[in-house]
Amino acid sequence: MELGLAGRRALVTGAGKGIGRGTVQALHAAGVQVVAVSRTRADLDSLVRECPGVEPVCVDLGDWEATERALGNVGPVDLLVNNAGVALLQPFLEVTKEAYDTSFNVNLRAVIQVSQIVARGLIARGAPGSIVNVSSQASQRAITNHSVYCSTKGAMDMLTKAMALELGPHKIRVNTVNPTVVMTSMGQANWSNPQKAKTMLDRIPLGKFAEVENVVDIILFLLSDRSSMTTGSAVPVDGGFLAS
């Protein structure tokens, strides 16, 4: 399926690793001009070597003022992928203020801030746009030791619906993808214990975790005009987990 993305300009957060990096690579291959945002300079440097022409921006999205300085004048952006996220796992009775603040600042507040920057630019230009927020199956199912993470992703799903409602009249679509465990470095670190992994795999009808490209394919579809009648939706990439 030809997605017709060539010639557009996209911004991808959390671009240094995993789903974000895979998204940048796929967009670059599709002829999209990409602004890649990461807090890790070394990851951006290697990404630019792999994908010449990608515009790197190094910033910690948990810092509101630094993010405004880094992205406030980013220029015209047609497509946005809010992928940056942290997963700080703690038993509920041991959740710390620091883990709460960091998780919500990066996983939710930064989505609001970056989306405001992009949406205001689109509206000022009178241009249509598409925003994809990378959520999780954890937005809809509780997982042990994930109370804060689940909360951020549940909030992201509802934020997406509210954004879709308010931005739709401006021809800006907003959707989420909701993956199961994805075999990124973060996914491998959090699910390397075979016993822990089995408890999740036993609930996935397809019997496996997702690969990065499984999620990237859905992100690109939602960014493209092929999904022009889809907004406010949460698209599972979960092997059937949410159906079980």
PDB file of all heavy atoms in Angstrom, residues 205-239:
ATOM      1  N   PRO A 205      -3.209 -14.406  22.583  1.00  0.00           N
ATOM      2  CA  PRO A 205      -3.598 -15.501  21.697  1.00  0.00           C
ATOM      3  C   PRO A 205      -2.548 -15.861  20.638  1.00  0.00           C
ATOM      4  O   PRO A 205      -2.402 -17.042  20.306  1.00  0.00           O
ATOM      5  CB  PRO A 205      -4.887 -14.974  21.047  1.00  0.00           C
ATOM      6  CG  PRO A 205      -5.476 -14.079  22.091  1.00  0.00           C
ATOM      7  CD  PRO A 205      -4.299 -13.416  22.744  1.00  0.00           C
ATOM      8  N   LEU A 206      -1.833 -14.889  20.106  1.00  0.00           N
ATOM      9  CA  LEU A 206      -0.807 -15.198  19.106  1.00  0.00           C
ATOM     10  C   LEU A 206       0.475 -15.739  19.730  1.00  0.00           C
ATOM     11  O   LEU A 206       1.381 -16.165  19.005  1.00  0.00           O
ATOM     12  CB  LEU A 206      -0.498 -13.964  18.251  1.00  0.00           C
ATOM     13  CG  LEU A 206      -1.620 -13.490  17.319  1.00  0.00           C
ATOM     14  CD1 LEU A 206      -1.140 -12.332  16.449  1.00  0.00           C
ATOM     15  CD2 LEU A 206      -2.147 -14.625  16.440  1.00  0.00           C
ATOM     16  N   GLY A 207       0.579 -15.682  21.064  1.00  0.00           N
ATOM     17  CA  GLY A 207       1.657 -16.353  21.767  1.00  0.00           C
ATOM     18  C   GLY A 207       3.035 -15.735  21.627  1.00  0.00           C
ATOM     19  O   GLY A 207       4.047 -16.421  21.821  1.00  0.00           O
ATOM     20  N   LYS A 208       3.094 -14.450  21.310  1.00  0.00           N
ATOM     21  CA  LYS A 208       4.404 -13.808  21.160  1.00  0.00           C
ATOM     22  C   LYS A 208       4.282 -12.323  21.449  1.00  0.00           C
ATOM     23  O   LYS A 208       3.187 -11.749  21.392  1.00  0.00           O
ATOM     24  CB  LYS A 208       4.954 -14.011  19.749  1.00  0.00           C
ATOM     25  CG  LYS A 208       4.065 -13.441  18.649  1.00  0.00           C
ATOM     26  CD  LYS A 208       4.628 -13.746  17.258  1.00  0.00           C
ATOM     27  CE  LYS A 208       3.719 -13.180  16.171  1.00  0.00           C
ATOM     28  NZ  LYS A 208       4.247 -13.460  14.815  1.00  0.00           N
ATOM     29  N   PHE A 209       5.431 -11.710  21.778  1.00  0.00           N
ATOM     30  CA  PHE A 209       5.497 -10.274  21.944  1.00  0.00           C
ATOM     31  C   PHE A 209       5.661  -9.615  20.576  1.00  0.00           C
ATOM     32  O   PHE A 209       5.960 -10.275  19.580  1.00  0.00           O
ATOM     33  CB  PHE A 209       6.649  -9.888  22.861  1.00  0.00           C
ATOM     34  CG  PHE A 209       6.478 -10.326  24.292  1.00  0.00           C
ATOM     35  CD1 PHE A 209       7.553 -10.805  25.030  1.00  0.00           C
ATOM     36  CD2 PHE A 209       5.241 -10.251  24.914  1.00  0.00           C
ATOM     37  CE1 PHE A 209       7.399 -11.195  26.357  1.00  0.00           C
ATOM     38  CE2 PHE A 209       5.067 -10.638  26.236  1.00  0.00           C
ATOM     39  CZ  PHE A 209       6.152 -11.113  26.958  1.00  0.00           C
ATOM     40  N   ALA A 210       5.460  -8.300  20.519  1.00  0.00           N
ATOM     41  CA  ALA A 210       5.550  -7.567  19.261  1.00  0.00           C
ATOM     42  C   ALA A 210       6.993  -7.205  18.940  1.00  0.00           C
ATOM     43  O   ALA A 210       7.815  -7.016  19.830  1.00  0.00           O
ATOM     44  CB  ALA A 210       4.706  -6.300  19.329  1.00  0.00           C
ATOM     45  N   GLU A 211       7.270  -7.104  17.663  1.00  0.00           N
ATOM     46  CA  GLU A 211       8.534  -6.547  17.190  1.00  0.00           C
ATOM     47  C   GLU A 211       8.311  -5.084  16.832  1.00  0.00           C
ATOM     48  O   GLU A 211       7.172  -4.647  16.587  1.00  0.00           O
ATOM     49  CB  GLU A 211       9.037  -7.317  15.965  1.00  0.00           C
ATOM     50  CG  GLU A 211       9.311  -8.794  16.231  1.00  0.00           C
ATOM     51  CD  GLU A 211      10.444  -9.024  17.228  1.00  0.00           C
ATOM     52  OE1 GLU A 211      11.312  -8.133  17.369  1.00  0.00           O
ATOM     53  OE2 GLU A 211      10.448 -10.088  17.868  1.00  0.00           O
ATOM     54  N   VAL A 212       9.385  -4.330  16.799  1.00  0.00           N
ATOM     55  CA  VAL A 212       9.285  -2.885  16.536  1.00  0.00           C
ATOM     56  C   VAL A 212       8.526  -2.610  15.242  1.00  0.00           C
ATOM     57  O   VAL A 212       7.660  -1.729  15.185  1.00  0.00           O
ATOM     58  CB  VAL A 212      10.691  -2.251  16.495  1.00  0.00           C
ATOM     59  CG1 VAL A 212      10.631  -0.825  15.947  1.00  0.00           C
ATOM     60  CG2 VAL A 212      11.323  -2.247  17.891  1.00  0.00           C
ATOM     61  N   GLU A 213       8.827  -3.373  14.187  1.00  0.00           N
ATOM     62  CA  GLU A 213       8.204  -3.083  12.889  1.00  0.00           C
ATOM     63  C   GLU A 213       6.690  -3.294  12.915  1.00  0.00           C
ATOM     64  O   GLU A 213       5.958  -2.667  12.136  1.00  0.00           O
ATOM     65  CB  GLU A 213       8.829  -3.915  11.779  1.00  0.00           C
ATOM     66  CG  GLU A 213       8.774  -5.414  11.981  1.00  0.00           C
ATOM     67  CD  GLU A 213      10.046  -5.964  12.612  1.00  0.00           C
ATOM     68  OE1 GLU A 213      10.723  -5.220  13.365  1.00  0.00           O
ATOM     69  OE2 GLU A 213      10.359  -7.143  12.343  1.00  0.00           O
ATOM     70  N   ASN A 214       6.182  -4.178  13.799  1.00  0.00           N
ATOM     71  CA  ASN A 214       4.734  -4.363  13.907  1.00  0.00           C
ATOM     72  C   ASN A 214       4.055  -3.062  14.333  1.00  0.00           C
ATOM     73  O   ASN A 214       2.961  -2.735  13.857  1.00  0.00           O
ATOM     74  CB  ASN A 214       4.403  -5.447  14.934  1.00  0.00           C
ATOM     75  CG  ASN A 214       4.995  -6.801  14.620  1.00  0.00           C
ATOM     76  OD1 ASN A 214       5.437  -7.512  15.520  1.00  0.00           O
ATOM     77  ND2 ASN A 214       5.041  -7.178  13.352  1.00  0.00           N
ATOM     78  N   VAL A 215       4.697  -2.331  15.229  1.00  0.00           N
ATOM     79  CA  VAL A 215       4.137  -1.071  15.720  1.00  0.00           C
ATOM     80  C   VAL A 215       4.359   0.043  14.703  1.00  0.00           C
ATOM     81  O   VAL A 215       3.459   0.847  14.441  1.00  0.00           O
ATOM     82  CB  VAL A 215       4.760  -0.703  17.077  1.00  0.00           C
ATOM     83  CG1 VAL A 215       4.087   0.546  17.647  1.00  0.00           C
ATOM     84  CG2 VAL A 215       4.644  -1.865  18.061  1.00  0.00           C
ATOM     85  N   VAL A 216       5.536   0.080  14.105  1.00  0.00           N
ATOM     86  CA  VAL A 216       5.862   1.131  13.139  1.00  0.00           C
ATOM     87  C   VAL A 216       4.895   1.091  11.954  1.00  0.00           C
ATOM     88  O   VAL A 216       4.450   2.149  11.473  1.00  0.00           O
ATOM     89  CB  VAL A 216       7.320   0.994  12.658  1.00  0.00           C
ATOM     90  CG1 VAL A 216       7.596   1.947  11.489  1.00  0.00           C
ATOM     91  CG2 VAL A 216       8.287   1.279  13.809  1.00  0.00           C
ATOM     92  N   ASP A 217       4.539  -0.096  11.500  1.00  0.00           N
ATOM     93  CA  ASP A 217       3.614  -0.201  10.364  1.00  0.00           C
ATOM     94  C   ASP A 217       2.281   0.481  10.667  1.00  0.00           C
ATOM     95  O   ASP A 217       1.707   1.169   9.807  1.00  0.00           O
ATOM     96  CB  ASP A 217       3.367  -1.676  10.019  1.00  0.00           C
ATOM     97  CG  ASP A 217       4.544  -2.323   9.315  1.00  0.00           C
ATOM     98  OD1 ASP A 217       5.440  -1.595   8.850  1.00  0.00           O
ATOM     99  OD2 ASP A 217       4.582  -3.570   9.237  1.00  0.00           O
ATOM    100  N   ILE A 218       1.774   0.299  11.879  1.00  0.00           N
ATOM    101  CA  ILE A 218       0.499   0.921  12.255  1.00  0.00           C
ATOM    102  C   ILE A 218       0.659   2.431  12.411  1.00  0.00           C
ATOM    103  O   ILE A 218      -0.222   3.213  12.023  1.00  0.00           O
ATOM    104  CB  ILE A 218      -0.048   0.295  13.551  1.00  0.00           C
ATOM    105  CG1 ILE A 218      -0.259  -1.216  13.374  1.00  0.00           C
ATOM    106  CG2 ILE A 218      -1.353   0.964  13.957  1.00  0.00           C
ATOM    107  CD1 ILE A 218      -1.233  -1.584  12.275  1.00  0.00           C
ATOM    108  N   ILE A 219       1.782   2.855  12.982  1.00  0.00           N
ATOM    109  CA  ILE A 219       2.037   4.300  13.118  1.00  0.00           C
ATOM    110  C   ILE A 219       2.014   4.968  11.750  1.00  0.00           C
ATOM    111  O   ILE A 219       1.371   6.010  11.558  1.00  0.00           O
ATOM    112  CB  ILE A 219       3.376   4.549  13.829  1.00  0.00           C
ATOM    113  CG1 ILE A 219       3.293   4.128  15.297  1.00  0.00           C
ATOM    114  CG2 ILE A 219       3.777   6.026  13.714  1.00  0.00           C
ATOM    115  CD1 ILE A 219       4.622   4.184  16.034  1.00  0.00           C
ATOM    116  N   LEU A 220       2.712   4.393  10.776  1.00  0.00           N
ATOM    117  CA  LEU A 220       2.770   4.999   9.445  1.00  0.00           C
ATOM    118  C   LEU A 220       1.391   5.029   8.799  1.00  0.00           C
ATOM    119  O   LEU A 220       1.027   6.017   8.140  1.00  0.00           O
ATOM    120  CB  LEU A 220       3.765   4.249   8.559  1.00  0.00           C
ATOM    121  CG  LEU A 220       5.164   4.875   8.495  1.00  0.00           C
ATOM    122  CD1 LEU A 220       5.831   4.898   9.856  1.00  0.00           C
ATOM    123  CD2 LEU A 220       6.046   4.130   7.498  1.00  0.00           C
ATOM    124  N   PHE A 221       0.599   3.983   8.985  1.00  0.00           N
ATOM    125  CA  PHE A 221      -0.758   3.975   8.447  1.00  0.00           C
ATOM    126  C   PHE A 221      -1.589   5.102   9.049  1.00  0.00           C
ATOM    127  O   PHE A 221      -2.299   5.833   8.334  1.00  0.00           O
ATOM    128  CB  PHE A 221      -1.416   2.625   8.720  1.00  0.00           C
ATOM    129  CG  PHE A 221      -2.881   2.580   8.382  1.00  0.00           C
ATOM    130  CD1 PHE A 221      -3.306   2.613   7.065  1.00  0.00           C
ATOM    131  CD2 PHE A 221      -3.842   2.519   9.383  1.00  0.00           C
ATOM    132  CE1 PHE A 221      -4.668   2.582   6.742  1.00  0.00           C
ATOM    133  CE2 PHE A 221      -5.195   2.497   9.082  1.00  0.00           C
ATOM    134  CZ  PHE A 221      -5.604   2.519   7.769  1.00  0.00           C
ATOM    135  N   LEU A 222      -1.489   5.288  10.363  1.00  0.00           N
ATOM    136  CA  LEU A 222      -2.277   6.339  11.029  1.00  0.00           C
ATOM    137  C   LEU A 222      -1.797   7.737  10.662  1.00  0.00           C
ATOM    138  O   LEU A 222      -2.579   8.683  10.678  1.00  0.00           O
ATOM    139  CB  LEU A 222      -2.233   6.136  12.542  1.00  0.00           C
ATOM    140  CG  LEU A 222      -2.990   4.917  13.064  1.00  0.00           C
ATOM    141  CD1 LEU A 222      -2.725   4.717  14.551  1.00  0.00           C
ATOM    142  CD2 LEU A 222      -4.487   5.029  12.796  1.00  0.00           C
ATOM    143  N   LEU A 223      -0.521   7.876  10.344  1.00  0.00           N
ATOM    144  CA  LEU A 223      -0.016   9.169   9.888  1.00  0.00           C
ATOM    145  C   LEU A 223      -0.504   9.498   8.485  1.00  0.00           C
ATOM    146  O   LEU A 223      -0.642  10.676   8.130  1.00  0.00           O
ATOM    147  CB  LEU A 223       1.514   9.173   9.898  1.00  0.00           C
ATOM    148  CG  LEU A 223       2.215   9.166  11.257  1.00  0.00           C
ATOM    149  CD1 LEU A 223       3.726   9.050  11.058  1.00  0.00           C
ATOM    150  CD2 LEU A 223       1.882  10.419  12.067  1.00  0.00           C
ATOM    151  N   SER A 224      -0.754   8.481   7.701  1.00  0.00           N
ATOM    152  CA  SER A 224      -1.038   8.682   6.278  1.00  0.00           C
ATOM    153  C   SER A 224      -2.505   9.002   6.025  1.00  0.00           C
ATOM    154  O   SER A 224      -3.373   8.779   6.867  1.00  0.00           O
ATOM    155  CB  SER A 224      -0.663   7.421   5.492  1.00  0.00           C
ATOM    156  OG  SER A 224      -1.670   6.422   5.627  1.00  0.00           O
ATOM    157  N   ASP A 225      -2.782   9.474   4.812  1.00  0.00           N
ATOM    158  CA  ASP A 225      -4.150   9.776   4.415  1.00  0.00           C
ATOM    159  C   ASP A 225      -4.974   8.512   4.201  1.00  0.00           C
ATOM    160  O   ASP A 225      -6.190   8.593   4.023  1.00  0.00           O
ATOM    161  CB  ASP A 225      -4.151  10.610   3.137  1.00  0.00           C
ATOM    162  CG  ASP A 225      -3.585  12.006   3.361  1.00  0.00           C
ATOM    163  OD1 ASP A 225      -3.540  12.445   4.530  1.00  0.00           O
ATOM    164  OD2 ASP A 225      -3.171  12.649   2.373  1.00  0.00           O
ATOM    165  N   ARG A 226      -4.335   7.355   4.222  1.00  0.00           N
ATOM    166  CA  ARG A 226      -5.074   6.091   4.125  1.00  0.00           C
ATOM    167  C   ARG A 226      -5.982   5.887   5.332  1.00  0.00           C
ATOM    168  O   ARG A 226      -6.906   5.068   5.282  1.00  0.00           O
ATOM    169  CB  ARG A 226      -4.097   4.917   3.992  1.00  0.00           C
ATOM    170  CG  ARG A 226      -3.337   4.886   2.681  1.00  0.00           C
ATOM    171  CD  ARG A 226      -4.243   4.501   1.525  1.00  0.00           C
ATOM    172  NE  ARG A 226      -3.493   4.330   0.281  1.00  0.00           N
ATOM    173  CZ  ARG A 226      -4.016   3.849  -0.844  1.00  0.00           C
ATOM    174  NH1 ARG A 226      -5.285   3.487  -0.867  1.00  0.00           N
ATOM    175  NH2 ARG A 226      -3.288   3.734  -1.929  1.00  0.00           N
ATOM    176  N   SER A 227      -5.705   6.593   6.413  1.00  0.00           N
ATOM    177  CA  SER A 227      -6.543   6.504   7.618  1.00  0.00           C
ATOM    178  C   SER A 227      -7.299   7.808   7.837  1.00  0.00           C
ATOM    179  O   SER A 227      -7.556   8.206   8.970  1.00  0.00           O
ATOM    180  CB  SER A 227      -5.678   6.188   8.839  1.00  0.00           C
ATOM    181  OG  SER A 227      -4.701   7.200   9.049  1.00  0.00           O
ATOM    182  N   SER A 228      -7.688   8.458   6.737  1.00  0.00           N
ATOM    183  CA  SER A 228      -8.211   9.828   6.807  1.00  0.00           C
ATOM    184  C   SER A 228      -9.532   9.950   7.567  1.00  0.00           C
ATOM    185  O   SER A 228      -9.921  11.060   7.933  1.00  0.00           O
ATOM    186  CB  SER A 228      -8.382  10.400   5.397  1.00  0.00           C
ATOM    187  OG  SER A 228      -9.300   9.616   4.658  1.00  0.00           O
ATOM    188  N   MET A 229     -10.223   8.840   7.824  1.00  0.00           N
ATOM    189  CA  MET A 229     -11.487   8.897   8.562  1.00  0.00           C
ATOM    190  C   MET A 229     -11.328   8.333   9.973  1.00  0.00           C
ATOM    191  O   MET A 229     -12.313   8.078  10.665  1.00  0.00           O
ATOM    192  CB  MET A 229     -12.582   8.145   7.795  1.00  0.00           C
ATOM    193  CG  MET A 229     -14.001   8.462   8.200  1.00  0.00           C
ATOM    194  SD  MET A 229     -14.408  10.219   8.048  1.00  0.00           S
ATOM    195  CE  MET A 229     -16.042  10.218   8.787  1.00  0.00           C
ATOM    196  N   THR A 230     -10.089   8.185  10.413  1.00  0.00           N
ATOM    197  CA  THR A 230      -9.823   7.614  11.736  1.00  0.00           C
ATOM    198  C   THR A 230      -9.217   8.662  12.644  1.00  0.00           C
ATOM    199  O   THR A 230      -8.131   9.180  12.364  1.00  0.00           O
ATOM    200  CB  THR A 230      -8.863   6.412  11.620  1.00  0.00           C
ATOM    201  OG1 THR A 230      -9.438   5.432  10.757  1.00  0.00           O
ATOM    202  CG2 THR A 230      -8.601   5.790  12.980  1.00  0.00           C
ATOM    203  N   THR A 231      -9.922   8.987  13.725  1.00  0.00           N
ATOM    204  CA  THR A 231      -9.373   9.901  14.732  1.00  0.00           C
ATOM    205  C   THR A 231     -10.017   9.582  16.075  1.00  0.00           C
ATOM    206  O   THR A 231     -11.155   9.106  16.139  1.00  0.00           O
ATOM    207  CB  THR A 231      -9.575  11.374  14.346  1.00  0.00           C
ATOM    208  OG1 THR A 231      -8.736  12.196  15.174  1.00  0.00           O
ATOM    209  CG2 THR A 231     -11.020  11.820  14.477  1.00  0.00           C
ATOM    210  N   GLY A 232      -9.266   9.825  17.148  1.00  0.00           N
ATOM    211  CA  GLY A 232      -9.752   9.518  18.484  1.00  0.00           C
ATOM    212  C   GLY A 232      -9.751   8.041  18.810  1.00  0.00           C
ATOM    213  O   GLY A 232     -10.355   7.614  19.799  1.00  0.00           O
ATOM    214  N   SER A 233      -9.037   7.262  18.010  1.00  0.00           N
ATOM    215  CA  SER A 233      -9.050   5.809  18.168  1.00  0.00           C
ATOM    216  C   SER A 233      -7.796   5.300  18.860  1.00  0.00           C
ATOM    217  O   SER A 233      -6.729   5.917  18.773  1.00  0.00           O
ATOM    218  CB  SER A 233      -9.173   5.123  16.800  1.00  0.00           C
ATOM    219  OG  SER A 233     -10.416   5.409  16.201  1.00  0.00           O
ATOM    220  N   ALA A 234      -7.946   4.159  19.523  1.00  0.00           N
ATOM    221  CA  ALA A 234      -6.818   3.445  20.112  1.00  0.00           C
ATOM    222  C   ALA A 234      -6.692   2.120  19.367  1.00  0.00           C
ATOM    223  O   ALA A 234      -7.611   1.299  19.406  1.00  0.00           O
ATOM    224  CB  ALA A 234      -7.047   3.204  21.597  1.00  0.00           C
ATOM    225  N   VAL A 235      -5.576   1.929  18.680  1.00  0.00           N
ATOM    226  CA  VAL A 235      -5.394   0.752  17.832  1.00  0.00           C
ATOM    227  C   VAL A 235      -4.473  -0.247  18.527  1.00  0.00           C
ATOM    228  O   VAL A 235      -3.293   0.005  18.691  1.00  0.00           O
ATOM    229  CB  VAL A 235      -4.809   1.153  16.463  1.00  0.00           C
ATOM    230  CG1 VAL A 235      -4.658  -0.081  15.583  1.00  0.00           C
ATOM    231  CG2 VAL A 235      -5.684   2.197  15.791  1.00  0.00           C
ATOM    232  N   PRO A 236      -5.002  -1.397  18.963  1.00  0.00           N
ATOM    233  CA  PRO A 236      -4.150  -2.374  19.627  1.00  0.00           C
ATOM    234  C   PRO A 236      -3.160  -3.025  18.650  1.00  0.00           C
ATOM    235  O   PRO A 236      -3.512  -3.316  17.510  1.00  0.00           O
ATOM    236  CB  PRO A 236      -5.135  -3.422  20.154  1.00  0.00           C
ATOM    237  CG  PRO A 236      -6.491  -2.785  20.060  1.00  0.00           C
ATOM    238  CD  PRO A 236      -6.408  -1.820  18.915  1.00  0.00           C
ATOM    239  N   VAL A 237      -1.961  -3.238  19.132  1.00  0.00           N
ATOM    240  CA  VAL A 237      -0.947  -4.037  18.410  1.00  0.00           C
ATOM    241  C   VAL A 237      -0.453  -5.034  19.455  1.00  0.00           C
ATOM    242  O   VAL A 237       0.655  -4.952  19.957  1.00  0.00           O
ATOM    243  CB  VAL A 237       0.205  -3.172  17.873  1.00  0.00           C
ATOM    244  CG1 VAL A 237       1.107  -4.003  16.964  1.00  0.00           C
ATOM    245  CG2 VAL A 237      -0.327  -1.965  17.107  1.00  0.00           C
ATOM    246  N   ASP A 238      -1.349  -5.971  19.794  1.00  0.00           N
ATOM    247  CA  ASP A 238      -1.172  -6.722  21.032  1.00  0.00           C
ATOM    248  C   ASP A 238      -1.331  -8.232  20.882  1.00  0.00           C
ATOM    249  O   ASP A 238      -1.395  -8.945  21.881  1.00  0.00           O
ATOM    250  CB  ASP A 238      -2.173  -6.208  22.079  1.00  0.00           C
ATOM    251  CG  ASP A 238      -3.620  -6.509  21.702  1.00  0.00           C
ATOM    252  OD1 ASP A 238      -3.877  -6.881  20.537  1.00  0.00           O
ATOM    253  OD2 ASP A 238      -4.491  -6.389  22.570  1.00  0.00           O
ATOM    254  N   GLY A 239      -1.408  -8.722  19.658  1.00  0.00           N
ATOM    255  CA  GLY A 239      -1.549 -10.153  19.459  1.00  0.00           C
ATOM    256  C   GLY A 239      -2.821 -10.727  20.025  1.00  0.00           C
ATOM    257  O   GLY A 239      -2.938 -11.938  20.222  1.00  0.00           O
TER     258      GLY A 239
END
